[in-house]
Amino acid sequence: MPKTRIVLSFPPSLTEVPLTYHLVKEFDLAINILKAKITPGEEGKLVIELSNGSEANIQAGIQYIISQGVHVEPIGKEIVWNEAECIHCGACTAVCRSKALTIAAPDWQLSFDKEQCIVCESCVKACPMQIIQATF
Amino acid sequence: MKSYAEINEKIKQGKAVVVTAEEIIDLVQEKGYQKAAAEIDVVTTATFGPMCSSGAFLNFGHSDPPIRMSKVSLNNVPAYAGVAAVDAYIGATELSETQGFQYGGAHVIEDLISGKQVELKALSYGTDCYPRKEIHTYITLQDLNQAYLFNPRNVYQNYAAAVNSSSKTIYTYMGTLLPNFGNVTYSTSGELSPLLNDPYYRTIGIGTRIFLGGTVGYVAWEGTQHNPLQKRAENGVPLSSAGTLALIGNLKEMKRDFLRAALFDRYGVTMYVGVGIPIPILDEEMLRFTAISNREIQTTIVDYSVPERSKPNYGLVSYEQLRSGRVTVQGKSVPTAPLSSLYQARRIAAILKEWITLGQFTLTEPVQALPLENKLNSLEIHAKEASQHA
């Protein structure tokens, strides 16, 4: 099942258009909102993951958003964990709400599941060793 | 009953039976207390957590002409120089004057043990015997005469778990605490932790030989804020932060693997310190102490959103519950996260076990026991008492 993560930036005039409703109804896509900053009358930012459709549906959905005047970019960043420098304390797991970073029995070594990561970057600052970075 | 001398004799002959404080738990289940106490000679304990109250004494040697250093910085991190001419103390949490939170005393110590050159700047007022007023040079750890870690407070015997009841994220030495009871952080190695395995300091005392930062170190004194009168459970284990240790060891022999600079976001710099302490199984009582498991060790959940000395608490939780990944606080299921590294603590306990098994590390009887009746004072703000006026 294809999945695409994109960053939407839309002008103040579009913050009140129900874009996600159309993506669901007309393109049959599942939309997972990863990050959102929307204030009426100001430029809005939305990071979403599109899934549950064919690649063609996803692309058609993206074209629809663009046609509405929204700027679309692929998610630019990814989280890079320098495992060799890690002391496996677990401090980063305290802020990882998506459960991409976990530490548990039996070995109590940190584990990073990129698939779960929503690139919120909370771990970057929470890592006491400063060995987690967000890179383009 | 076994004496220190008998246990050391077995160690020297390569016959000592040594297990870690985790391994002992299953062994006791299998053999029972009496048999296990007879068979096992030493239990190794360990911890690897953030310990702010750490630092190192350094002696730089004399320049020509010599200087009585009164202001010292290392990579622009101030070191305390209010001791003799070329002695200084670099504290782990001291911040860089140029890089702020990004670099501190702990980073200087880590750079030194990594073999890196460190920039030394010192000023002086100049004296007849020490005429130089300024020095600027680069040093490495091997250039120093003495470099020893002297940590005023390490190895806390238990520590409260932290939570945040407010509506804002807070940034603390217990990590980033999410609003509305969003997470719980905790910071001990539980059943593997040194002072949780010797709750009344029967074998861990002044002079005890230990693993410190990858080499041999010693317990120098009770740690600052040593609080043996903390409320204890029936099994003797304190229910919140209690005893502490002051530790000393040769920085020149330490390894970066077991001594790491750290930054807690919007709080500051600290240092992760690796400590391993052997506990001799002198009798069945010591075995019972070391056989304690996470289920039998509890700590208090404290609300860090209240910026006062006495913070509200939400009752007790066991380390078994904390290690399970979720605990219930005020009726809400909250995810937990550790701050001290159990993975590293296990490595240290295993290394210490190997040193003893191979006959390279013998045990020491404390020169003096740690106090059991030490009241913890607070700092009160008041005017000077009349009787003190000149």
PDB file of all heavy atoms in Angstrom, chain B residues 321-342:
ATOM      1  N   GLN B 321       6.671  -1.739  37.969  1.00  0.00           N
ATOM      2  CA  GLN B 321       5.648  -0.991  37.233  1.00  0.00           C
ATOM      3  C   GLN B 321       6.289   0.031  36.288  1.00  0.00           C
ATOM      4  O   GLN B 321       5.874   0.149  35.133  1.00  0.00           O
ATOM      5  CB  GLN B 321       4.711  -0.284  38.219  1.00  0.00           C
ATOM      6  CG  GLN B 321       3.803  -1.242  38.983  1.00  0.00           C
ATOM      7  CD  GLN B 321       3.117  -0.531  40.143  1.00  0.00           C
ATOM      8  OE1 GLN B 321       3.755   0.022  41.030  1.00  0.00           O
ATOM      9  NE2 GLN B 321       1.793  -0.536  40.122  1.00  0.00           N
ATOM     10  N   LEU B 322       7.292   0.772  36.798  1.00  0.00           N
ATOM     11  CA  LEU B 322       7.951   1.767  35.946  1.00  0.00           C
ATOM     12  C   LEU B 322       8.576   1.106  34.721  1.00  0.00           C
ATOM     13  O   LEU B 322       8.475   1.605  33.604  1.00  0.00           O
ATOM     14  CB  LEU B 322       9.016   2.525  36.743  1.00  0.00           C
ATOM     15  CG  LEU B 322       8.483   3.529  37.765  1.00  0.00           C
ATOM     16  CD1 LEU B 322       9.572   3.957  38.736  1.00  0.00           C
ATOM     17  CD2 LEU B 322       7.873   4.752  37.080  1.00  0.00           C
ATOM     18  N   ARG B 323       9.193  -0.055  34.926  1.00  0.00           N
ATOM     19  CA  ARG B 323       9.847  -0.783  33.825  1.00  0.00           C
ATOM     20  C   ARG B 323       8.835  -1.391  32.852  1.00  0.00           C
ATOM     21  O   ARG B 323       9.204  -1.765  31.739  1.00  0.00           O
ATOM     22  CB  ARG B 323      10.748  -1.889  34.376  1.00  0.00           C
ATOM     23  CG  ARG B 323      12.015  -1.379  35.051  1.00  0.00           C
ATOM     24  CD  ARG B 323      13.111  -1.090  34.058  1.00  0.00           C
ATOM     25  NE  ARG B 323      14.236  -0.399  34.679  1.00  0.00           N
ATOM     26  CZ  ARG B 323      15.089   0.381  34.013  1.00  0.00           C
ATOM     27  NH1 ARG B 323      14.954   0.562  32.730  1.00  0.00           N
ATOM     28  NH2 ARG B 323      16.072   0.978  34.642  1.00  0.00           N
ATOM     29  N   SER B 324       7.574  -1.510  33.266  1.00  0.00           N
ATOM     30  CA  SER B 324       6.567  -2.108  32.379  1.00  0.00           C
ATOM     31  C   SER B 324       6.177  -1.162  31.246  1.00  0.00           C
ATOM     32  O   SER B 324       5.561  -1.572  30.267  1.00  0.00           O
ATOM     33  CB  SER B 324       5.317  -2.486  33.170  1.00  0.00           C
ATOM     34  OG  SER B 324       4.547  -1.319  33.436  1.00  0.00           O
ATOM     35  N   GLY B 325       6.532   0.137  31.383  1.00  0.00           N
ATOM     36  CA  GLY B 325       6.242   1.086  30.302  1.00  0.00           C
ATOM     37  C   GLY B 325       5.060   2.005  30.588  1.00  0.00           C
ATOM     38  O   GLY B 325       4.910   3.033  29.942  1.00  0.00           O
ATOM     39  N   ARG B 326       4.205   1.621  31.515  1.00  0.00           N
ATOM     40  CA  ARG B 326       3.072   2.498  31.867  1.00  0.00           C
ATOM     41  C   ARG B 326       2.800   2.381  33.360  1.00  0.00           C
ATOM     42  O   ARG B 326       2.903   1.294  33.925  1.00  0.00           O
ATOM     43  CB  ARG B 326       1.806   2.094  31.108  1.00  0.00           C
ATOM     44  CG  ARG B 326       1.871   2.301  29.622  1.00  0.00           C
ATOM     45  CD  ARG B 326       0.489   2.263  28.992  1.00  0.00           C
ATOM     46  NE  ARG B 326      -0.132   3.579  28.973  1.00  0.00           N
ATOM     47  CZ  ARG B 326       0.047   4.468  27.994  1.00  0.00           C
ATOM     48  NH1 ARG B 326       0.806   4.201  26.965  1.00  0.00           N
ATOM     49  NH2 ARG B 326      -0.555   5.630  28.043  1.00  0.00           N
ATOM     50  N   VAL B 327       2.428   3.494  33.968  1.00  0.00           N
ATOM     51  CA  VAL B 327       1.977   3.470  35.361  1.00  0.00           C
ATOM     52  C   VAL B 327       0.701   4.314  35.465  1.00  0.00           C
ATOM     53  O   VAL B 327       0.414   5.117  34.578  1.00  0.00           O
ATOM     54  CB  VAL B 327       3.034   4.028  36.354  1.00  0.00           C
ATOM     55  CG1 VAL B 327       4.269   3.155  36.389  1.00  0.00           C
ATOM     56  CG2 VAL B 327       3.409   5.462  36.008  1.00  0.00           C
ATOM     57  N   THR B 328      -0.031   4.104  36.533  1.00  0.00           N
ATOM     58  CA  THR B 328      -1.241   4.890  36.728  1.00  0.00           C
ATOM     59  C   THR B 328      -0.951   6.024  37.709  1.00  0.00           C
ATOM     60  O   THR B 328      -0.472   5.778  38.818  1.00  0.00           O
ATOM     61  CB  THR B 328      -2.375   3.990  37.262  1.00  0.00           C
ATOM     62  OG1 THR B 328      -2.540   2.917  36.329  1.00  0.00           O
ATOM     63  CG2 THR B 328      -3.682   4.755  37.385  1.00  0.00           C
ATOM     64  N   VAL B 329      -1.201   7.247  37.260  1.00  0.00           N
ATOM     65  CA  VAL B 329      -1.015   8.430  38.116  1.00  0.00           C
ATOM     66  C   VAL B 329      -2.332   9.194  38.133  1.00  0.00           C
ATOM     67  O   VAL B 329      -2.845   9.551  37.071  1.00  0.00           O
ATOM     68  CB  VAL B 329       0.103   9.349  37.581  1.00  0.00           C
ATOM     69  CG1 VAL B 329       0.378  10.485  38.557  1.00  0.00           C
ATOM     70  CG2 VAL B 329       1.389   8.569  37.310  1.00  0.00           C
ATOM     71  N   GLN B 330      -2.857   9.434  39.305  1.00  0.00           N
ATOM     72  CA  GLN B 330      -4.138  10.150  39.446  1.00  0.00           C
ATOM     73  C   GLN B 330      -5.217   9.522  38.537  1.00  0.00           C
ATOM     74  O   GLN B 330      -5.962  10.228  37.877  1.00  0.00           O
ATOM     75  CB  GLN B 330      -3.965  11.645  39.101  1.00  0.00           C
ATOM     76  CG  GLN B 330      -3.017  12.404  40.016  1.00  0.00           C
ATOM     77  CD  GLN B 330      -3.584  12.612  41.404  1.00  0.00           C
ATOM     78  OE1 GLN B 330      -3.496  11.724  42.261  1.00  0.00           O
ATOM     79  NE2 GLN B 330      -4.190  13.750  41.643  1.00  0.00           N
ATOM     80  N   GLY B 331      -5.224   8.203  38.467  1.00  0.00           N
ATOM     81  CA  GLY B 331      -6.244   7.501  37.692  1.00  0.00           C
ATOM     82  C   GLY B 331      -5.985   7.442  36.195  1.00  0.00           C
ATOM     83  O   GLY B 331      -6.752   6.863  35.435  1.00  0.00           O
ATOM     84  N   LYS B 332      -4.868   8.042  35.760  1.00  0.00           N
ATOM     85  CA  LYS B 332      -4.575   8.092  34.327  1.00  0.00           C
ATOM     86  C   LYS B 332      -3.393   7.174  34.003  1.00  0.00           C
ATOM     87  O   LYS B 332      -2.402   7.160  34.736  1.00  0.00           O
ATOM     88  CB  LYS B 332      -4.233   9.543  33.962  1.00  0.00           C
ATOM     89  CG  LYS B 332      -4.097   9.789  32.488  1.00  0.00           C
ATOM     90  CD  LYS B 332      -3.736  11.249  32.221  1.00  0.00           C
ATOM     91  CE  LYS B 332      -3.361  11.401  30.742  1.00  0.00           C
ATOM     92  NZ  LYS B 332      -2.853  12.716  30.426  1.00  0.00           N
ATOM     93  N   SER B 333      -3.486   6.415  32.924  1.00  0.00           N
ATOM     94  CA  SER B 333      -2.378   5.555  32.502  1.00  0.00           C
ATOM     95  C   SER B 333      -1.357   6.414  31.758  1.00  0.00           C
ATOM     96  O   SER B 333      -1.676   7.050  30.760  1.00  0.00           O
ATOM     97  CB  SER B 333      -2.915   4.440  31.601  1.00  0.00           C
ATOM     98  OG  SER B 333      -1.823   3.718  31.078  1.00  0.00           O
ATOM     99  N   VAL B 334      -0.128   6.442  32.287  1.00  0.00           N
ATOM    100  CA  VAL B 334       0.895   7.361  31.780  1.00  0.00           C
ATOM    101  C   VAL B 334       2.122   6.568  31.321  1.00  0.00           C
ATOM    102  O   VAL B 334       2.583   5.687  32.046  1.00  0.00           O
ATOM    103  CB  VAL B 334       1.310   8.351  32.905  1.00  0.00           C
ATOM    104  CG1 VAL B 334       2.324   9.357  32.398  1.00  0.00           C
ATOM    105  CG2 VAL B 334       0.089   9.066  33.477  1.00  0.00           C
ATOM    106  N   PRO B 335       2.671   6.894  30.110  1.00  0.00           N
ATOM    107  CA  PRO B 335       3.877   6.183  29.674  1.00  0.00           C
ATOM    108  C   PRO B 335       5.101   6.580  30.506  1.00  0.00           C
ATOM    109  O   PRO B 335       5.219   7.734  30.933  1.00  0.00           O
ATOM    110  CB  PRO B 335       4.047   6.608  28.212  1.00  0.00           C
ATOM    111  CG  PRO B 335       3.282   7.868  28.065  1.00  0.00           C
ATOM    112  CD  PRO B 335       2.188   7.860  29.107  1.00  0.00           C
ATOM    113  N   THR B 336       5.998   5.641  30.722  1.00  0.00           N
ATOM    114  CA  THR B 336       7.194   5.901  31.522  1.00  0.00           C
ATOM    115  C   THR B 336       8.427   5.914  30.623  1.00  0.00           C
ATOM    116  O   THR B 336       8.427   5.287  29.565  1.00  0.00           O
ATOM    117  CB  THR B 336       7.405   4.813  32.590  1.00  0.00           C
ATOM    118  OG1 THR B 336       7.643   3.564  31.928  1.00  0.00           O
ATOM    119  CG2 THR B 336       6.201   4.689  33.500  1.00  0.00           C
ATOM    120  N   ALA B 337       9.464   6.616  31.074  1.00  0.00           N
ATOM    121  CA  ALA B 337      10.737   6.604  30.343  1.00  0.00           C
ATOM    122  C   ALA B 337      11.888   6.683  31.344  1.00  0.00           C
ATOM    123  O   ALA B 337      11.856   7.493  32.264  1.00  0.00           O
ATOM    124  CB  ALA B 337      10.805   7.786  29.378  1.00  0.00           C
ATOM    125  N   PRO B 338      12.902   5.838  31.149  1.00  0.00           N
ATOM    126  CA  PRO B 338      14.066   5.910  32.043  1.00  0.00           C
ATOM    127  C   PRO B 338      15.016   7.018  31.609  1.00  0.00           C
ATOM    128  O   PRO B 338      15.012   7.433  30.452  1.00  0.00           O
ATOM    129  CB  PRO B 338      14.721   4.542  31.849  1.00  0.00           C
ATOM    130  CG  PRO B 338      14.350   4.122  30.459  1.00  0.00           C
ATOM    131  CD  PRO B 338      13.031   4.774  30.144  1.00  0.00           C
ATOM    132  N   LEU B 339      15.832   7.509  32.536  1.00  0.00           N
ATOM    133  CA  LEU B 339      16.886   8.469  32.191  1.00  0.00           C
ATOM    134  C   LEU B 339      18.265   7.869  32.395  1.00  0.00           C
ATOM    135  O   LEU B 339      19.231   8.241  31.747  1.00  0.00           O
ATOM    136  CB  LEU B 339      16.774   9.732  33.056  1.00  0.00           C
ATOM    137  CG  LEU B 339      15.506  10.555  32.901  1.00  0.00           C
ATOM    138  CD1 LEU B 339      15.511  11.703  33.881  1.00  0.00           C
ATOM    139  CD2 LEU B 339      15.370  11.081  31.481  1.00  0.00           C
ATOM    140  N   SER B 340      18.380   6.925  33.355  1.00  0.00           N
ATOM    141  CA  SER B 340      19.670   6.270  33.536  1.00  0.00           C
ATOM    142  C   SER B 340      19.668   5.025  32.654  1.00  0.00           C
ATOM    143  O   SER B 340      18.624   4.443  32.388  1.00  0.00           O
ATOM    144  CB  SER B 340      19.906   5.923  35.005  1.00  0.00           C
ATOM    145  OG  SER B 340      19.276   4.716  35.347  1.00  0.00           O
ATOM    146  N   SER B 341      20.843   4.678  32.164  1.00  0.00           N
ATOM    147  CA  SER B 341      20.938   3.599  31.175  1.00  0.00           C
ATOM    148  C   SER B 341      21.110   2.241  31.861  1.00  0.00           C
ATOM    149  O   SER B 341      22.161   1.954  32.428  1.00  0.00           O
ATOM    150  CB  SER B 341      22.116   3.848  30.239  1.00  0.00           C
ATOM    151  OG  SER B 341      22.338   2.715  29.429  1.00  0.00           O
ATOM    152  N   LEU B 342      20.086   1.409  31.780  1.00  0.00           N
ATOM    153  CA  LEU B 342      20.190   0.060  32.343  1.00  0.00           C
ATOM    154  C   LEU B 342      21.140  -0.785  31.508  1.00  0.00           C
ATOM    155  O   LEU B 342      21.892  -1.610  32.039  1.00  0.00           O
ATOM    156  CB  LEU B 342      18.803  -0.592  32.404  1.00  0.00           C
ATOM    157  CG  LEU B 342      18.750  -1.987  33.031  1.00  0.00           C
ATOM    158  CD1 LEU B 342      19.352  -2.016  34.427  1.00  0.00           C
ATOM    159  CD2 LEU B 342      17.314  -2.499  33.071  1.00  0.00           C
TER     160      LEU B 342
END
